[in-house]
């Protein structure tokens, strides 16, 4: 079985600090990591391969340095890495990104299942996975927390909803987005690290993908950012450091209306 | 060679470095040639530098604008109705409340789009809360949410009726279906908006959303494509109140049978007992973290939650230690919540946790470490022993609520 896992390189938010004076992000020296949700997608793709045989291809769209994310995926057990990279892709929103990734998947071809993390930690949109499925006319199961059954023909999976979960079956090929609960990602093996070093990362640009120019990059993106700003700091909080009993009384009094309102 | 998407005019530039400071993506530096250099690998063309530059030296390639008359054909503000077994999700009422304001600003109608089976008697709930029209698709195949038909039907309705704005809740179901609709209709979609407004001059929808875990906010438009689509974060907008006697038009839609097929099949739906109060819906959330020390101690958090009729949340540390299931996790890798009151017990407030809850109206933090970052976002904080303080809070609130 050929499994494709889509990953994104993102800034490591554990490193991101807020400058207390200007209330802006301090990005200096912030490391790049694989989007945390994609780590679960990588792990799940390797588990499917271990069960059914075949190979896993990781694909990422991004700048040349995103190659590091693909090498890390290989160190975890992914077989091949494909970097979708071209200046013409700059400024892509989720429409253009899902179009471009779908074009790359078509080019790679011959896959049974596509896995994505539920969303990326920098954009938080959760739109690219379903977007790829739509461009490729694939069925989808989003927010998957468990794969119950999978064979060459079909998959049965649990989708996490706000108030419970549902069990869904789908014929293959199918696209899945996964949540954290699905597994516990493994660490890279020594053999994996060696493979990652040696691996050749295939690169695909706009021409190889035969993308329609009006559908990629800035031109292919219907949305446009007009303003970026830092939210006003919450600040001004009242912190009580002594006499907890008095503090509890004061706070409970101030919250009386909120609490009564919520319990109407 | 393709034209560069962003450029700095060397004549206009005074090397003042305002753009370097303004860039949220650290893409501009003064290193090369003592002149601002834009690293196109990092640049997302967000335009923050264009706005920051006082000398109009930076320009971003403009796309050809769509013809005004093409956009003028698109009328009305649409709201997708999320219902589960005939019960309308409250996010729908929030969308109607917000949608009403947008429709009034534009002088357009507010329309609700409801898919389901045997739900026609629910249309009144939508018109009484402000919908001028309800597009109703009532089919056995639409009894419950399935990604493909639930996306194809709105795509068809958008084609037929050409709405100007189309809003949907940023819920699991909402995000799953609306991403497909936007791609199929080839229009822009902005995720998880916390603020919507109409630009008084251009009449475009200004869609504001948090990014980078809420550390920055971005305002986004879709200038050349209609409908302008957005998902809206639950619990941020105010619900439309029902008004007795308010009527609207109910338009029953016939849909071709082939649009109703689904390759995926739902075999079973299981309600999770553990999440009796769904934290995404809760007005009050009481959360516990590492400071609780062991799983048994979650009982003090549960007692406070019970007294308040609140949902129980948890930090990642508590979930990773298996003290409580993942469905309770608040934060970047868990749920983003926006309650009226959030009480954090023994949670230090790592940036990932703050990303999931810092938009709560009121935050109360209890922690023994006075330097814990949670106090930076807290409306009220108590530095001290949570095992002493939380039960006192439970007692106080019981008194207030008379139970």
């Amino acid at each position: 079985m050929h499994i494709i896992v889509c990953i994104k390189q993102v800034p490591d938010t554990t490193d991101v600090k807020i400058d207390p004076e200007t209330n802006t992000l301090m990005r200096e020296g912030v490391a790049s990591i694989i989007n945390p949700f994609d780590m679960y997608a990588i792990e799940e793709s390797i588990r499917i391969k271990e069960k059914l045989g075949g190979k896993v291809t990781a694909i990422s769209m991004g700048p040349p340095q995103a190659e590091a994310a693909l090498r890390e995926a290989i160190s975890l057990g992914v077989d091949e890495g494909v970097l979708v990279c071209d200046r013409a892709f700059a400024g892509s929103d989720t429409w253009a990104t899902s179009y471009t990734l779908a074009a790359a998947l078509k080019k790679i071809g011959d896959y049974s299942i596509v896995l994505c993390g539920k969303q990326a930690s920098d954009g938080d949109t959760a739109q690219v996975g379903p977007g790829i499925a739509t461009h490729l006319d694939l069925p989808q199961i989003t927010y998957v927390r468990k794969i119950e059954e999978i064979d060459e023909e079909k998959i049965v999976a649990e989708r996490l909803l706000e108030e419970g979960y549902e069990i869904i079956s789908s014929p293959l090929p199918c696209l899945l987005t996964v949540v954290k609960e699905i597994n516990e990602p493994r660490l890279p093996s020594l053999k994996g690290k060696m493979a990652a070093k040696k691996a050749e990362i295939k690169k695909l640009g706009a021409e190889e993908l035969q993308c329609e120019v009006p559908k990629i990059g800035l031109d292919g993106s219907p949305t446009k950012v007009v303003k970026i700003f830092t939210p006003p700091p919450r600040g001004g909080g009242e912190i009580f450091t002594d006499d907890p009993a008095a503090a509890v009384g004061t706070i409970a009094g101030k919250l009386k209306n909120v609490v009564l309102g919520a319990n109407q | 060679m393709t034209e560069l998407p962003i450029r700095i005019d060397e004549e206009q530039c005074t090397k003042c470095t305002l753009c370097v400071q303004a860039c949220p993506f650290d893409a501009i530096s003064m290193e090369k040639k003592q002149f601002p250099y834009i690293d196109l690998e990092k640049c997302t063309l967000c335009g923050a530098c264009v706005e920051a530059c006082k000398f109009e030296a930076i320009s971003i390639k403009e796309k050809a604008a769509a013809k005004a008359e093409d956009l003028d054909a698109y009328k009305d503000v649409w709201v997708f109705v999320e219902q589960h077994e005939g019960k309308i999700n409250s996010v729908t009422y929030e969308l109607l409340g917000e949608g009403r304001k947008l429709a009034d600003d534009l002088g357009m109608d507010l329309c609700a789009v409801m898919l389901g089976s045997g739900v026609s008697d629910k249309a009144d709930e939508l018109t009484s809360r402000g919908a001028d029209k309800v597009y109703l698709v009532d089919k056995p195949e639409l009894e419950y949410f399935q990604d493909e038909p639930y996306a194809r039907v709105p795509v068809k309705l958008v084609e037929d009726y050409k709405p100007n704005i189309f809003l949907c809740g940023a819920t699991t179901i909402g995000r799953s279906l609306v991403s497909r609709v936007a791609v199929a209709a080839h229009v822009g979609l902005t995720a998880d908006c916390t603020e919507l407004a109409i630009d008084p001059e251009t009449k475009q929808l200004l869609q504001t959303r948090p990014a980078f875990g809420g550390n920055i906010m971005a305002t986004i438009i879709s200038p050349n494509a209609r409908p302008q689509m957005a998902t809206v974060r639950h619990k941020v907008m105010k619900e439309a109140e029902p008004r007795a006697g308010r009527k609207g038009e109910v338009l029953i839609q016939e849909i071709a049978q082939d649009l109703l097929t689904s390759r995926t099949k739902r075999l079973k739906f299981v309600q999770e007992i553990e999440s009796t109060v769904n934290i995404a819906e809760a007005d009050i959330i009481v959360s516990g973290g590492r400071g609780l020390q062991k799983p048994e101690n979650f009982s003090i958090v549960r007692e406070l939650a019970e007294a308040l009729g609140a949902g129980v949340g948890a930090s990642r540390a508590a979930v990773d230690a298996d003290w409580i299931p993942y469905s309770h996790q608040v934060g970047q890798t868990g749920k983003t919540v926006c309650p009226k009151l959030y009480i954090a017990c023994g949670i230090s407030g790592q940036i990932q946790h703050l990303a999931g809850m810092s938009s709560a109206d009121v935050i109360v933090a209890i922690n023994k470490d006075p330097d814990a970052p949670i106090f930076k976002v807290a409306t009220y904080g108590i530095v001290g022993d949570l095992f002493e303080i939380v039960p006192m809070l439970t007692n106080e609130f019981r008194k207030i609520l008379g139970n």
Side-chain angles (χ1 to χ4, degrees):
Chain A
M1 178 178 282
H2 186 196
I3 306 141
I4 296 185
V5 57
C6 302
I7 66 174
K8 183 180 185 185
Q9 191 180 49
V10 297
D12 185 355
T13 43
T14 48
D15 279 2
V16 175
K17 298 268 176 336
I18 311 288
D19 183 330
E21 306 229 316
T22 58
N23 195 35
T24 51
L25 286 186
M26 292 165 38
R27 298 166 143 265
E28 231 160 274
V30 172
S32 292
I33 56 167
I34 296 176
N35 169 40
F37 290 108
D38 299 345
M39 295 299 281
Y40 305 105
I42 290 171
E43 175 65 30
E44 203 59 27
S45 65
I46 297 166
R47 290 186 188 192
I48 297 171
K49 180 183 84 168
E50 285 169 350
K51 193 171 169 215
L52 298 175
K55 79 169 180 184
V56 180
T57 302
I59 167 169
S60 187
M61 173 169 157
Q65 58 263 35
E67 195 180 309
L70 291 164
R71 288 196 189 276
E72 190 184 340
I74 292 169
S75 78
L76 295 165
V78 165
D79 299 288
E80 281 174 25
V82 176
L83 181 63
V84 181
C85 181
D86 198 312
R87 280 210 171 160
F89 298 146
S92 292
D93 72 357
T94 57
W95 200 100
T97 301
S98 55
Y99 169 80
T100 309
L101 282 168
L105 262 69
K106 264 186 217 157
K107 175 90 181 172
I108 297 166
D110 183 34
Y111 50 82
S112 296
I113 187 160
V114 182
L115 289 158
C116 306
K118 77 157 182 166
Q119 65 195 49
S121 62
D122 54 352
D124 282 328
T125 70
Q127 286 169 192
V128 172
I132 296 170
T134 310
H135 279 297
L136 295 172
D137 191 24
L138 292 177
Q140 71 186 30
I141 312 177
T142 48
Y143 302 90
V144 171
R145 68 167 199 180
K146 189 180 175 194
I147 294 179
E148 292 202 334
E149 288 168 42
I150 181 164
D151 58 33
E152 301 289 336
E153 306 292 321
K154 73 168 204 314
I155 181 167
V156 177
E158 290 182 10
R159 179 211 314 250
L160 184 66
L161 294 172
E162 278 86 355
E163 65 280 355
Y165 65 93
E166 49 188 15
I167 301 174
I168 297 173
S169 76
S170 174
L172 298 183
C174 169
L175 181 139
L176 263 55
T177 73
V178 306
V179 299
K180 177 190 165 189
E181 209 181 356
I182 194 167
N183 58 44
E184 214 165 293
R186 70 192 67 192
L187 294 169
S189 65
L190 188 62
K191 195 173 146 228
K193 283 184 178 169
M194 304 278 285
K197 233 180 231 173
K198 280 189 284 185
E200 201 165 312
I201 304 292
K202 191 172 169 188
K203 294 192 180 63
L204 293 175
E207 250 169 61
E208 288 104 317
L209 295 181
Q210 297 174 308
C211 290
E212 294 173 53
V213 173
K215 294 186 175 175
I216 58 169
L218 199 60
D219 286 332
S221 301
T223 62
K224 182 180 169 189
V225 179
V226 282
K227 194 167 115 190
I228 286 211
F229 58 102
T230 44
R234 288 187 72 99
E238 239 178 291
I239 310 297
F240 301 85
T241 49
D242 48 56
D243 197 358
V248 163
T250 310
I251 293 172
K254 292 190 187 221
L255 295 178
K256 191 175 168 183
N257 289 336
V258 177
V259 169
L260 286 173
N263 280 278
Q264 263 171 8
Chain B
M1 183 70 198
T2 47
E3 188 196 344
L4 287 178
I6 181 165
R7 48 197 316 150
I8 301 178
D9 186 328
E10 304 201 12
E11 309 244 308
Q12 303 289 329
C13 176
T14 64
K15 301 172 192 166
C16 72
T17 73
L18 277 175
C19 56
V20 178
Q21 293 160 37
C23 178
F25 301 99
D26 201 18
I28 313 180
S29 62
M30 295 298 285
E31 287 156 16
K32 301 203 176 170
K33 306 189 288 184
Q34 298 298 304
F35 187 77
Y37 164 78
I38 301 177
D39 183 347
L40 288 175
E41 310 296 0
K42 288 184 183 169
C43 174
T44 67
L45 302 175
C46 75
C49 54
V50 177
E51 203 173 309
C53 179
K54 295 209 166 98
F55 310 97
E56 291 176 21
I58 310 178
S59 56
I60 290 181
K61 187 175 82 169
E62 285 290 330
K63 287 182 273 187
K67 285 195 205 117
E69 59 264 37
D70 293 344
L71 299 184
D72 283 348
Y74 290 81
K75 297 245 185 305
D76 297 346
V77 176
W78 281 20
V79 161
F80 180 82
V81 178
E82 192 170 324
Q83 57 86 19
H84 183 68
E85 291 170 359
K87 190 179 175 298
I88 294 172
N89 185 326
S90 61
V91 74
T92 304
Y93 299 141
E94 295 162 17
L95 295 175
L96 285 172
E98 190 64 20
R100 185 71 262 169
K101 282 190 252 168
L102 301 173
D104 290 344
D105 282 353
L106 290 166
M108 292 179 180
D109 281 343
L110 175 64
C111 309
V113 177
M114 181 157 61
L115 280 56
S117 174
V119 291
S120 48
D121 59 328
K122 301 288 165 200
D124 290 349
E125 289 181 30
L126 303 166
T127 53
S128 78
R129 291 185 195 249
D132 300 307
K133 290 180 198 158
V134 178
Y135 293 102
L136 177 67
V137 186
D138 199 320
K139 296 277 172 196
E141 292 86 347
L142 299 173
E143 187 190 349
Y144 45 80
F145 172 68
Q146 295 194 97
D147 303 68
E148 290 180 276
Y150 264 71
R152 284 193 214 107
V153 171
V155 171
K156 178 76 173 87
L157 295 177
V158 163
E159 248 174 54
D160 289 351
Y161 295 101
K162 300 191 182 334
N164 190 286
I165 292 173
F166 192 173
L167 307 176
C168 186
T171 57
T172 303
I173 286 176
R175 291 199 198 207
S176 300
L177 80 96
V178 87
S179 306
R180 292 186 79 106
V181 175
V183 163
H186 200 167
V187 298
L189 171 62
T190 305
D192 206 20
C193 295
T194 52
E195 204 186 314
L196 297 172
I198 301 294
D199 184 313
E201 277 171 36
T202 62
K203 302 293 176 197
Q204 285 168 353
L205 179 66
L206 303 172
Q207 309 156 65
T208 300
R209 69 180 302 262
F212 278 100
N215 289 310
I216 55 175
M217 304 292 288
T219 301
I220 292 165
I221 56 170
S222 300
N224 298 325
R226 295 290 181 274
Q228 306 164 85
M229 296 187 67
T231 60
V232 174
R233 186 177 286 188
H234 198 2
K235 291 275 161 198
V236 177
M237 314 288 183
K238 216 168 153 332
E239 275 186 31
E241 296 295 332
R243 223 174 67 205
R246 198 188 184 289
K247 294 267 177 262
E249 220 178 321
V250 180
L251 302 156
I252 296 168
Q253 303 297 306
E254 282 312 317
I255 290 287
Q257 206 58 32
D258 61 323
L259 296 184
L260 299 174
T261 58
S262 177
R263 284 172 286 185
T264 58
K265 301 269 175 269
R266 185 173 87 163
L267 307 177
K268 195 160 86 171
F269 169 73
V270 182
Q271 187 109 25
E272 294 259 80
I273 311 135
E274 189 51 51
S275 43
T276 38
V277 179
N278 165 13
I279 57 170
E281 291 264 349
D283 281 334
I284 305 179
I285 295 171
V286 185
S287 275
R290 205 195 298 269
L292 288 168
Q293 295 170 6
K294 44 187 171 181
E296 305 85 278
N297 292 339
F298 242 99
S299 60
I300 66 164
V301 168
R302 286 183 208 280
E303 272 166 38
L304 176 55
E306 209 172 294
L308 288 167
V312 174
S315 71
R316 176 176 175 167
V319 172
D320 283 355
D322 274 335
W323 296 353
I324 186 160
Y326 169 65
S327 54
H328 294 259
Q329 186 182 320
V330 173
Q332 192 155 65
T333 50
K335 284 179 177 153
T336 302
V337 295
C338 194
K340 295 194 170 69
L341 173 59
Y342 188 91
I343 304 180
C345 311
I347 294 176
S348 64
Q350 295 297 318
I351 194 165
Q352 293 88 345
H353 188 76
L354 301 184
M357 47 62 79
S358 59
S359 52
D361 291 351
V362 178
I363 296 168
V364 175
I366 299 137
N367 205 297
K368 64 178 181 199
D369 175 11
D371 297 322
I374 191 83
F375 288 122
K376 295 251 178 354
V377 300
T379 324
Y380 305 110
I382 309 178
V383 180
D385 178 9
L386 71 94
F387 296 104
E388 179 193 350
I389 295 163
V390 176
M392 283 199 284
L393 270 175
T394 308
N395 276 336
E396 283 297 319
F397 286 126
R398 278 198 183 127
K399 275 189 238 163
I400 288 172
L401 290 163
N403 55 14

